Amino acid sequence: MLFRSGFYPPEQAFDNKYHKLTVRTLRKGLDVKYREGYYAMKEESLSTDDRRETLQALLSSPLDSAQIGLSAKTEPEAAAAGAVRVSVRIDLRDVKLEQHDGKWVGALDLATRLESSSAPVKLQTIPLELPEDRFRIALERGVVLEQSVTPASKDDRLRIVLMDRASGHAGSLWIPAGARTN
């Protein structure tokens, strides 16, 4: 019978040093295989200027970034003629979250731009703070963000870029905004 287990050091243990691991079992005669150690390397956060520059490059790129899994759909907005409701599903497994006071916390930068628009890019920071039970559900189902946009025509497209503030990883995609999509 094969059993697997994992080890995740706490955030404060990331000190850019090598740490030796020792695994012991209470049961005699077991064959235990494990790594002898690990490097606890700190990830350097991006500066505000670096984040802004990366977001701007991704907004204008014709290619999608896949470091963070994203999917999106639109549907007509009932409250406003010509507007569409955009729902963006984020794969939370691709986002760096830290545990603080029994909650998983992190932050995302979300930038959106209609292809036809000359208006400034809509940029917002999305704080994440999930208790353990909601965190487990969000890992399975993803996190959904919604916003309303008004496309200029039925052929208009919406650029969506999402960046993890902690790791600098990003996901981006283009979706048709002028017609209902799935």
Side-chain angles (χ1 to χ4, degrees), residues 21-83:
L21 291 174
T22 303
V23 177
R24 296 185 186 114
T25 65
L26 297 175
R27 195 189 230 177
K28 301 280 185 209
L30 292 178
D31 184 18
V32 179
K33 295 179 184 179
Y34 60 93
R35 292 172 44 178
E36 292 181 14
Y38 66 96
Y39 285 97
M41 303 304 290
K42 286 183 182 179
E43 285 188 18
E44 298 296 323
S45 342
L46 292 177
S47 70
T48 301
D49 288 341
D50 288 341
R51 270 198 331 272
R52 188 175 295 123
E53 186 177 308
T54 302
L55 284 168
Q56 194 61 42
L58 289 170
L59 276 166
S60 57
S61 175
L63 304 175
D64 292 338
S65 174
Q67 291 174 312
I68 297 177
L70 298 179
S71 61
K73 67 178 184 176
T74 62
E75 58 188 21
E77 181 74 71

Tab-separated table of all heavy atoms in Angstrom, residues 21-83:
chain	number	residue	atom	x	y	z
A	21	LEU	N	15.499	17.696	6.000
A	21	LEU	CA	14.269	17.037	6.445
A	21	LEU	C	14.599	15.656	7.016
A	21	LEU	O	15.487	14.964	6.509
A	21	LEU	CB	13.288	16.849	5.289
A	21	LEU	CG	12.642	18.091	4.710
A	21	LEU	CD1	11.808	17.728	3.482
A	21	LEU	CD2	11.765	18.764	5.744
A	22	THR	N	13.878	15.274	8.044
A	22	THR	CA	13.963	13.932	8.605
A	22	THR	C	12.539	13.425	8.789
A	22	THR	O	11.688	14.133	9.338
A	22	THR	CB	14.686	13.945	9.973
A	22	THR	OG1	15.974	14.533	9.794
A	22	THR	CG2	14.831	12.547	10.531
A	23	VAL	N	12.302	12.203	8.311
A	23	VAL	CA	10.977	11.592	8.441
A	23	VAL	C	11.122	10.310	9.255
A	23	VAL	O	11.972	9.467	8.949
A	23	VAL	CB	10.357	11.279	7.056
A	23	VAL	CG1	9.021	10.581	7.209
A	23	VAL	CG2	10.220	12.556	6.249
A	24	ARG	N	10.291	10.181	10.266
A	24	ARG	CA	10.287	8.987	11.106
A	24	ARG	C	8.876	8.426	11.133
A	24	ARG	O	7.899	9.166	11.043
A	24	ARG	CB	10.710	9.335	12.522
A	24	ARG	CG	12.125	9.837	12.618
A	24	ARG	CD	12.523	10.058	14.072
A	24	ARG	NE	13.832	10.670	14.104
A	24	ARG	CZ	14.073	11.898	14.537
A	24	ARG	NH1	13.095	12.627	15.005
A	24	ARG	NH2	15.286	12.384	14.514
A	25	THR	N	8.779	7.112	11.287
A	25	THR	CA	7.467	6.481	11.426
A	25	THR	C	7.403	5.736	12.746
A	25	THR	O	8.430	5.334	13.317
A	25	THR	CB	7.197	5.481	10.284
A	25	THR	OG1	8.113	4.407	10.388
A	25	THR	CG2	7.312	6.153	8.929
A	26	LEU	N	6.217	5.546	13.257
A	26	LEU	CA	6.024	4.785	14.486
A	26	LEU	C	6.013	3.287	14.212
A	26	LEU	O	6.257	2.485	15.104
A	26	LEU	CB	4.705	5.200	15.156
A	26	LEU	CG	4.637	6.663	15.599
A	26	LEU	CD1	3.255	6.986	16.137
A	26	LEU	CD2	5.698	6.954	16.647
A	27	ARG	N	5.755	2.934	12.980
A	27	ARG	CA	5.641	1.536	12.594
A	27	ARG	C	6.981	1.028	12.050
A	27	ARG	O	7.589	1.666	11.208
A	27	ARG	CB	4.566	1.409	11.534
A	27	ARG	CG	4.108	0.025	11.295
A	27	ARG	CD	3.237	0.084	10.087
A	27	ARG	NE	1.981	-0.568	10.267
A	27	ARG	CZ	1.048	-0.577	9.351
A	27	ARG	NH1	1.207	0.111	8.243
A	27	ARG	NH2	-0.063	-1.229	9.541
A	28	LYS	N	7.421	-0.109	12.527
A	28	LYS	CA	8.681	-0.724	12.082
A	28	LYS	C	8.488	-1.392	10.720
A	28	LYS	O	7.403	-1.832	10.380
A	28	LYS	CB	9.146	-1.772	13.091
A	28	LYS	CG	9.385	-1.230	14.474
A	28	LYS	CD	10.721	-0.550	14.520
A	28	LYS	CE	10.978	-0.113	15.963
A	28	LYS	NZ	11.778	1.016	16.076
A	29	GLY	N	9.564	-1.475	9.940
A	29	GLY	CA	9.556	-2.217	8.697
A	29	GLY	C	8.998	-1.482	7.491
A	29	GLY	O	8.836	-2.085	6.430
A	30	LEU	N	8.700	-0.202	7.616
A	30	LEU	CA	8.190	0.559	6.474
A	30	LEU	C	9.346	1.120	5.656
A	30	LEU	O	10.376	1.517	6.195
A	30	LEU	CB	7.302	1.713	6.941
A	30	LEU	CG	5.976	1.342	7.580
A	30	LEU	CD1	5.252	2.615	8.017
A	30	LEU	CD2	5.106	0.562	6.624
A	31	ASP	N	9.178	1.163	4.351
A	31	ASP	CA	10.147	1.761	3.453
A	31	ASP	C	9.690	3.192	3.190
A	31	ASP	O	8.680	3.417	2.532
A	31	ASP	CB	10.205	0.954	2.158
A	31	ASP	CG	11.278	1.474	1.213
A	31	ASP	OD1	12.186	2.208	1.651
A	31	ASP	OD2	11.186	1.144	0.011
A	32	VAL	N	10.417	4.154	3.716
A	32	VAL	CA	10.035	5.563	3.591
A	32	VAL	C	10.991	6.257	2.629
A	32	VAL	O	12.211	6.174	2.791
A	32	VAL	CB	10.070	6.264	4.969
A	32	VAL	CG1	9.697	7.728	4.829
A	32	VAL	CG2	9.165	5.566	5.956
A	33	LYS	N	10.427	6.925	1.620
A	33	LYS	CA	11.227	7.677	0.654
A	33	LYS	C	10.841	9.145	0.759
A	33	LYS	O	9.660	9.479	0.765
A	33	LYS	CB	10.975	7.163	-0.758
A	33	LYS	CG	11.432	5.733	-0.943
A	33	LYS	CD	11.147	5.247	-2.333
A	33	LYS	CE	11.548	3.790	-2.420
A	33	LYS	NZ	11.285	3.231	-3.712
A	34	TYR	N	11.846	9.999	0.853
A	34	TYR	CA	11.575	11.424	0.970
A	34	TYR	C	12.812	12.205	0.533
A	34	TYR	O	13.916	11.662	0.465
A	34	TYR	CB	11.172	11.802	2.396
A	34	TYR	CG	12.234	11.496	3.442
A	34	TYR	CD1	13.152	12.470	3.820
A	34	TYR	CD2	12.315	10.237	4.037
A	34	TYR	CE1	14.116	12.199	4.767
A	34	TYR	CE2	13.277	9.961	4.985
A	34	TYR	CZ	14.184	10.952	5.349
A	34	TYR	OH	15.154	10.690	6.285
A	35	ARG	N	12.575	13.470	0.229
A	35	ARG	CA	13.682	14.356	-0.115
A	35	ARG	C	14.509	14.623	1.134
A	35	ARG	O	13.985	14.694	2.241
A	35	ARG	CB	13.155	15.677	-0.656
A	35	ARG	CG	12.487	15.536	-1.988
A	35	ARG	CD	11.800	16.792	-2.433
A	35	ARG	NE	12.608	17.983	-2.221
A	35	ARG	CZ	12.233	19.201	-2.570
A	35	ARG	NH1	11.065	19.387	-3.128
A	35	ARG	NH2	12.995	20.230	-2.354
A	36	GLU	N	15.802	14.798	0.953
A	36	GLU	CA	16.666	15.048	2.103
A	36	GLU	C	16.531	16.474	2.621
A	36	GLU	O	16.909	16.760	3.751
A	36	GLU	CB	18.118	14.767	1.732
A	36	GLU	CG	18.380	13.290	1.491
A	36	GLU	CD	19.833	13.028	1.146
A	36	GLU	OE1	20.688	13.926	1.349
A	36	GLU	OE2	20.115	11.921	0.676
A	37	GLY	N	16.009	17.359	1.802
A	37	GLY	CA	15.865	18.736	2.235
A	37	GLY	C	15.277	19.599	1.142
A	37	GLY	O	14.877	19.108	0.089
A	38	TYR	N	15.225	20.894	1.395
A	38	TYR	CA	14.652	21.841	0.435
A	38	TYR	C	15.274	23.216	0.663
A	38	TYR	O	15.763	23.525	1.755
A	38	TYR	CB	13.131	21.925	0.565
A	38	TYR	CG	12.670	22.511	1.881
A	38	TYR	CD1	12.348	23.868	1.983
A	38	TYR	CD2	12.575	21.731	3.020
A	38	TYR	CE1	11.941	24.418	3.186
A	38	TYR	CE2	12.170	22.268	4.226
A	38	TYR	CZ	11.854	23.610	4.310
A	38	TYR	OH	11.463	24.152	5.503
A	39	TYR	N	15.271	24.018	-0.386
A	39	TYR	CA	15.684	25.408	-0.279
A	39	TYR	C	14.427	26.247	-0.065
A	39	TYR	O	13.479	26.180	-0.841
A	39	TYR	CB	16.409	25.871	-1.548
A	39	TYR	CG	17.809	25.335	-1.647
A	39	TYR	CD1	18.080	24.195	-2.392
A	39	TYR	CD2	18.848	25.963	-0.974
A	39	TYR	CE1	19.367	23.694	-2.471
A	39	TYR	CE2	20.138	25.467	-1.047
A	39	TYR	CZ	20.393	24.332	-1.798
A	39	TYR	OH	21.664	23.833	-1.873
A	40	ALA	N	14.421	27.032	0.978
A	40	ALA	CA	13.272	27.888	1.307
A	40	ALA	C	13.519	29.277	0.726
A	40	ALA	O	13.895	30.211	1.428
A	40	ALA	CB	13.064	27.948	2.812
A	41	MET	N	13.323	29.382	-0.595
A	41	MET	CA	13.614	30.633	-1.294
A	41	MET	C	12.431	31.586	-1.229
A	41	MET	O	11.297	31.198	-1.497
A	41	MET	CB	13.958	30.351	-2.752
A	41	MET	CG	15.130	29.374	-2.939
A	41	MET	SD	16.643	29.873	-2.106
A	41	MET	CE	17.109	31.258	-3.099
A	42	LYS	N	12.724	32.821	-0.867
A	42	LYS	CA	11.695	33.859	-0.846
A	42	LYS	C	11.420	34.307	-2.271
A	42	LYS	O	12.340	34.455	-3.066
A	42	LYS	CB	12.165	35.087	-0.061
A	42	LYS	CG	12.196	34.918	1.404
A	42	LYS	CD	12.600	36.228	2.061
A	42	LYS	CE	12.695	36.053	3.559
A	42	LYS	NZ	13.114	37.291	4.218
A	43	GLU	N	10.151	34.505	-2.575
A	43	GLU	CA	9.810	35.094	-3.869
A	43	GLU	C	9.862	36.601	-3.725
A	43	GLU	O	9.322	37.155	-2.770
A	43	GLU	CB	8.397	34.675	-4.304
A	43	GLU	CG	8.310	33.262	-4.780
A	43	GLU	CD	6.954	32.951	-5.391
A	43	GLU	OE1	6.213	33.890	-5.752
A	43	GLU	OE2	6.647	31.769	-5.493
A	44	GLU	N	10.534	37.222	-4.642
A	44	GLU	CA	10.613	38.679	-4.612
A	44	GLU	C	9.330	39.260	-5.204
A	44	GLU	O	8.887	38.853	-6.253
A	44	GLU	CB	11.828	39.157	-5.419
A	44	GLU	CG	13.152	38.672	-4.866
A	44	GLU	CD	13.462	39.209	-3.483
A	44	GLU	OE1	13.129	40.380	-3.221
A	44	GLU	OE2	14.029	38.467	-2.679
A	45	SER	N	8.720	40.198	-4.490
A	45	SER	CA	7.513	40.821	-5.032
A	45	SER	C	7.898	41.876	-6.058
A	45	SER	O	8.953	42.475	-5.975
A	45	SER	CB	6.687	41.513	-3.968
A	45	SER	OG	6.945	41.152	-2.711
A	46	LEU	N	6.982	42.049	-6.996
A	46	LEU	CA	7.191	43.068	-8.019
A	46	LEU	C	6.916	44.445	-7.440
A	46	LEU	O	6.007	44.614	-6.623
A	46	LEU	CB	6.243	42.835	-9.192
A	46	LEU	CG	6.477	41.601	-10.038
A	46	LEU	CD1	5.393	41.493	-11.105
A	46	LEU	CD2	7.836	41.642	-10.700
A	47	SER	N	7.659	45.431	-7.889
A	47	SER	CA	7.386	46.802	-7.485
A	47	SER	C	6.099	47.269	-8.176
A	47	SER	O	5.640	46.656	-9.142
A	47	SER	CB	8.549	47.714	-7.889
A	47	SER	OG	8.579	47.858	-9.293
A	48	THR	N	5.553	48.342	-7.700
A	48	THR	CA	4.341	48.908	-8.299
A	48	THR	C	4.584	49.242	-9.768
A	48	THR	O	3.744	48.961	-10.618
A	48	THR	CB	3.900	50.173	-7.531
A	48	THR	OG1	3.670	49.805	-6.174
A	48	THR	CG2	2.643	50.778	-8.111
A	49	ASP	N	5.741	49.810	-10.075
A	49	ASP	CA	6.067	50.152	-11.471
A	49	ASP	C	6.177	48.897	-12.338
A	49	ASP	O	5.695	48.879	-13.462
A	49	ASP	CB	7.363	50.952	-11.545
A	49	ASP	CG	7.205	52.375	-11.020
A	49	ASP	OD1	6.049	52.850	-10.934
A	49	ASP	OD2	8.221	52.998	-10.694
A	50	ASP	N	6.811	47.846	-11.805
A	50	ASP	CA	6.941	46.592	-12.559
A	50	ASP	C	5.573	45.967	-12.819
A	50	ASP	O	5.300	45.472	-13.907
A	50	ASP	CB	7.819	45.587	-11.817
A	50	ASP	CG	9.287	45.977	-11.822
A	50	ASP	OD1	9.688	46.792	-12.676
A	50	ASP	OD2	10.027	45.471	-10.953
A	51	ARG	N	4.704	45.981	-11.793
A	51	ARG	CA	3.343	45.436	-11.969
A	51	ARG	C	2.587	46.222	-13.032
A	51	ARG	O	1.957	45.648	-13.916
A	51	ARG	CB	2.575	45.472	-10.645
A	51	ARG	CG	2.728	44.241	-9.825
A	51	ARG	CD	1.676	44.067	-8.751
A	51	ARG	NE	1.096	45.253	-8.195
A	51	ARG	CZ	1.577	45.926	-7.152
A	51	ARG	NH1	2.664	45.527	-6.551
A	51	ARG	NH2	0.962	46.987	-6.702
A	52	ARG	N	2.645	47.536	-12.949
A	52	ARG	CA	1.943	48.392	-13.902
A	52	ARG	C	2.461	48.156	-15.326
A	52	ARG	O	1.683	48.043	-16.269
A	52	ARG	CB	2.100	49.859	-13.502
A	52	ARG	CG	1.251	50.806	-14.324
A	52	ARG	CD	1.328	52.234	-13.841
A	52	ARG	NE	0.763	52.358	-12.504
A	52	ARG	CZ	1.419	52.836	-11.438
A	52	ARG	NH1	2.640	53.262	-11.545
A	52	ARG	NH2	0.826	52.915	-10.273
A	53	GLU	N	3.777	48.045	-15.468
A	53	GLU	CA	4.382	47.808	-16.779
A	53	GLU	C	3.947	46.450	-17.350
A	53	GLU	O	3.609	46.339	-18.527
A	53	GLU	CB	5.903	47.866	-16.644
A	53	GLU	CG	6.655	47.776	-17.940
A	53	GLU	CD	8.148	47.906	-17.710
A	53	GLU	OE1	8.575	48.879	-17.052
A	53	GLU	OE2	8.878	47.020	-18.195
A	54	THR	N	3.932	45.416	-16.512
A	54	THR	CA	3.508	44.085	-16.956
A	54	THR	C	2.035	44.077	-17.335
A	54	THR	O	1.657	43.521	-18.372
A	54	THR	CB	3.779	43.033	-15.860
A	54	THR	OG1	5.177	43.040	-15.551
A	54	THR	CG2	3.356	41.652	-16.289
A	55	LEU	N	1.194	44.703	-16.516
A	55	LEU	CA	-0.239	44.784	-16.835
A	55	LEU	C	-0.449	45.496	-18.168
A	55	LEU	O	-1.243	45.050	-19.004
A	55	LEU	CB	-1.001	45.516	-15.724
A	55	LEU	CG	-1.265	44.722	-14.457
A	55	LEU	CD1	-1.748	45.653	-13.339
A	55	LEU	CD2	-2.278	43.626	-14.703
A	56	GLN	N	0.259	46.594	-18.382
A	56	GLN	CA	0.109	47.356	-19.624
A	56	GLN	C	0.530	46.515	-20.827
A	56	GLN	O	-0.137	46.505	-21.857
A	56	GLN	CB	0.934	48.652	-19.551
A	56	GLN	CG	0.585	49.639	-20.616
A	56	GLN	CD	-0.873	50.082	-20.546
A	56	GLN	OE1	-1.422	50.333	-19.484
A	56	GLN	NE2	-1.508	50.167	-21.692
A	57	ALA	N	1.630	45.776	-20.692
A	57	ALA	CA	2.099	44.926	-21.796
A	57	ALA	C	1.074	43.825	-22.092
A	57	ALA	O	0.791	43.535	-23.261
A	57	ALA	CB	3.450	44.315	-21.447
A	58	LEU	N	0.512	43.224	-21.064
A	58	LEU	CA	-0.476	42.167	-21.269
A	58	LEU	C	-1.779	42.701	-21.850
A	58	LEU	O	-2.445	42.014	-22.627
A	58	LEU	CB	-0.742	41.418	-19.950
A	58	LEU	CG	0.392	40.524	-19.472
A	58	LEU	CD1	0.128	40.044	-18.050
A	58	LEU	CD2	0.591	39.354	-20.411
A	59	LEU	N	-2.158	43.920	-21.465
A	59	LEU	CA	-3.382	44.515	-22.006
A	59	LEU	C	-3.297	44.717	-23.503
A	59	LEU	O	-4.287	44.585	-24.219
A	59	LEU	CB	-3.677	45.857	-21.324
A	59	LEU	CG	-4.411	45.768	-20.008
A	59	LEU	CD1	-4.353	47.094	-19.273
A	59	LEU	CD2	-5.858	45.339	-20.206
A	60	SER	N	-2.116	45.040	-24.002
A	60	SER	CA	-1.989	45.323	-25.429
A	60	SER	C	-1.526	44.110	-26.240
A	60	SER	O	-1.474	44.185	-27.459
A	60	SER	CB	-1.036	46.501	-25.649
A	60	SER	OG	0.217	46.216	-25.073
A	61	SER	N	-1.215	43.021	-25.577
A	61	SER	CA	-0.728	41.845	-26.292
A	61	SER	C	-1.865	41.091	-26.981
A	61	SER	O	-2.937	40.916	-26.411
A	61	SER	CB	-0.030	40.897	-25.311
A	61	SER	OG	0.346	39.709	-25.966
A	62	PRO	N	-1.629	40.599	-28.182
A	62	PRO	CA	-2.643	39.773	-28.843
A	62	PRO	C	-2.661	38.347	-28.280
A	62	PRO	O	-3.597	37.595	-28.515
A	62	PRO	CB	-2.198	39.767	-30.308
A	62	PRO	CG	-0.730	39.994	-30.251
A	62	PRO	CD	-0.482	40.857	-29.046
A	63	LEU	N	-1.615	37.988	-27.526
A	63	LEU	CA	-1.509	36.640	-26.964
A	63	LEU	C	-1.997	36.607	-25.525
A	63	LEU	O	-1.890	37.592	-24.795
A	63	LEU	CB	-0.045	36.175	-27.017
A	63	LEU	CG	0.605	36.190	-28.385
A	63	LEU	CD1	2.081	35.837	-28.266
A	63	LEU	CD2	-0.110	35.252	-29.335
A	64	ASP	N	-2.496	35.447	-25.117
A	64	ASP	CA	-2.969	35.283	-23.750
A	64	ASP	C	-1.858	34.756	-22.863
A	64	ASP	O	-0.983	34.016	-23.314
A	64	ASP	CB	-4.156	34.313	-23.701
A	64	ASP	CG	-5.395	34.887	-24.364
A	64	ASP	OD1	-5.491	36.124	-24.475
A	64	ASP	OD2	-6.259	34.103	-24.764
A	65	SER	N	-1.894	35.138	-21.602
A	65	SER	CA	-0.976	34.624	-20.598
A	65	SER	C	-1.717	33.554	-19.807
A	65	SER	O	-2.896	33.713	-19.490
A	65	SER	CB	-0.537	35.756	-19.664
A	65	SER	OG	0.246	35.234	-18.613
A	66	ALA	N	-1.011	32.472	-19.465
A	66	ALA	CA	-1.688	31.341	-18.817
A	66	ALA	C	-1.078	30.961	-17.472
A	66	ALA	O	-1.267	29.845	-17.010
A	66	ALA	CB	-1.669	30.139	-19.753
A	67	GLN	N	-0.371	31.870	-16.832
A	67	GLN	CA	0.186	31.542	-15.523
A	67	GLN	C	-0.928	31.397	-14.478
A	67	GLN	O	-0.775	30.654	-13.524
A	67	GLN	CB	1.173	32.608	-15.072
A	67	GLN	CG	2.439	32.625	-15.893
A	67	GLN	CD	3.327	33.779	-15.503
A	67	GLN	OE1	2.879	34.922	-15.393
A	67	GLN	NE2	4.598	33.490	-15.301
A	68	ILE	N	-2.003	32.130	-14.656
A	68	ILE	CA	-3.201	31.984	-13.818
A	68	ILE	C	-4.331	31.575	-14.747
A	68	ILE	O	-4.611	32.261	-15.728
A	68	ILE	CB	-3.566	33.301	-13.093
A	68	ILE	CG1	-2.440	33.713	-12.128
A	68	ILE	CG2	-4.884	33.150	-12.340
A	68	ILE	CD1	-2.690	35.038	-11.438
A	69	GLY	N	-4.955	30.446	-14.434
A	69	GLY	CA	-6.055	29.968	-15.259
A	69	GLY	C	-7.269	30.875	-15.152
A	69	GLY	O	-7.728	31.184	-14.050
A	70	LEU	N	-7.777	31.315	-16.293
A	70	LEU	CA	-8.961	32.189	-16.354
A	70	LEU	C	-9.936	31.643	-17.380
A	70	LEU	O	-9.536	31.097	-18.410
A	70	LEU	CB	-8.587	33.601	-16.820
A	70	LEU	CG	-7.653	34.449	-16.003
A	70	LEU	CD1	-7.424	35.782	-16.705
A	70	LEU	CD2	-8.212	34.684	-14.624
A	71	SER	N	-11.207	31.823	-17.104
A	71	SER	CA	-12.245	31.624	-18.116
A	71	SER	C	-13.264	32.733	-17.889
A	71	SER	O	-13.366	33.282	-16.790
A	71	SER	CB	-12.896	30.239	-17.999
A	71	SER	OG	-13.520	30.088	-16.746
A	72	ALA	N	-13.984	33.081	-18.939
A	72	ALA	CA	-14.939	34.188	-18.818
A	72	ALA	C	-16.144	33.936	-19.699
A	72	ALA	O	-16.071	33.215	-20.694
A	72	ALA	CB	-14.277	35.512	-19.198
A	73	LYS	N	-17.251	34.541	-19.310
A	73	LYS	CA	-18.454	34.503	-20.136
A	73	LYS	C	-19.172	35.829	-19.974
A	73	LYS	O	-18.958	36.570	-19.010
A	73	LYS	CB	-19.366	33.338	-19.750
A	73	LYS	CG	-19.996	33.459	-18.385
A	73	LYS	CD	-20.918	32.291	-18.121
A	73	LYS	CE	-21.633	32.477	-16.790
A	73	LYS	NZ	-22.599	31.422	-16.544
A	74	THR	N	-19.995	36.140	-20.955
A	74	THR	CA	-20.800	37.358	-20.899
A	74	THR	C	-22.259	36.986	-21.091
A	74	THR	O	-22.588	35.961	-21.699
A	74	THR	CB	-20.390	38.358	-22.003
A	74	THR	OG1	-20.615	37.754	-23.275
A	74	THR	CG2	-18.946	38.782	-21.870
A	75	GLU	N	-23.120	37.846	-20.568
A	75	GLU	CA	-24.558	37.721	-20.811
A	75	GLU	C	-25.156	39.117	-20.748
A	75	GLU	O	-24.598	40.006	-20.089
A	75	GLU	CB	-25.217	36.763	-19.819
A	75	GLU	CG	-25.049	37.134	-18.368
A	75	GLU	CD	-25.566	36.043	-17.435
A	75	GLU	OE1	-25.681	34.892	-17.855
A	75	GLU	OE2	-25.851	36.377	-16.285
A	76	PRO	N	-26.248	39.339	-21.438
A	76	PRO	CA	-26.851	40.676	-21.425
A	76	PRO	C	-27.166	41.129	-20.006
A	76	PRO	O	-27.599	40.339	-19.175
A	76	PRO	CB	-28.142	40.494	-22.232
A	76	PRO	CG	-27.897	39.281	-23.075
A	76	PRO	CD	-27.001	38.395	-22.272
A	77	GLU	N	-26.905	42.395	-19.756
A	77	GLU	CA	-27.188	42.993	-18.441
A	77	GLU	C	-28.648	43.426	-18.427
A	77	GLU	O	-29.062	44.238	-19.247
A	77	GLU	CB	-26.261	44.191	-18.225
A	77	GLU	CG	-26.420	44.898	-16.915
A	77	GLU	CD	-25.848	44.124	-15.748
A	77	GLU	OE1	-24.615	44.030	-15.652
A	77	GLU	OE2	-26.645	43.601	-14.948
A	78	ALA	N	-29.417	42.866	-17.524
A	78	ALA	CA	-30.854	43.153	-17.461
A	78	ALA	C	-31.140	44.604	-17.102
A	78	ALA	O	-32.102	45.196	-17.586
A	78	ALA	CB	-31.525	42.223	-16.455
A	79	ALA	N	-30.287	45.210	-16.266
A	79	ALA	CA	-30.559	46.548	-15.760
A	79	ALA	C	-30.180	47.669	-16.725
A	79	ALA	O	-30.634	48.791	-16.559
A	79	ALA	CB	-29.833	46.751	-14.436
A	80	ALA	N	-29.356	47.389	-17.735
A	80	ALA	CA	-28.894	48.455	-18.626
A	80	ALA	C	-28.877	47.969	-20.076
A	80	ALA	O	-28.183	47.012	-20.397
A	80	ALA	CB	-27.501	48.914	-18.207
A	81	ALA	N	-29.617	48.657	-20.928
A	81	ALA	CA	-29.668	48.280	-22.347
A	81	ALA	C	-28.287	48.420	-22.984
A	81	ALA	O	-27.603	49.417	-22.791
A	81	ALA	CB	-30.676	49.161	-23.078
A	82	GLY	N	-27.871	47.407	-23.734
A	82	GLY	CA	-26.591	47.427	-24.434
A	82	GLY	C	-25.406	46.974	-23.594
A	82	GLY	O	-24.333	46.724	-24.118
A	83	ALA	N	-25.591	46.877	-22.291
A	83	ALA	CA	-24.496	46.461	-21.408
A	83	ALA	C	-24.480	44.942	-21.278
A	83	ALA	O	-25.492	44.277	-21.492
A	83	ALA	CB	-24.647	47.098	-20.032
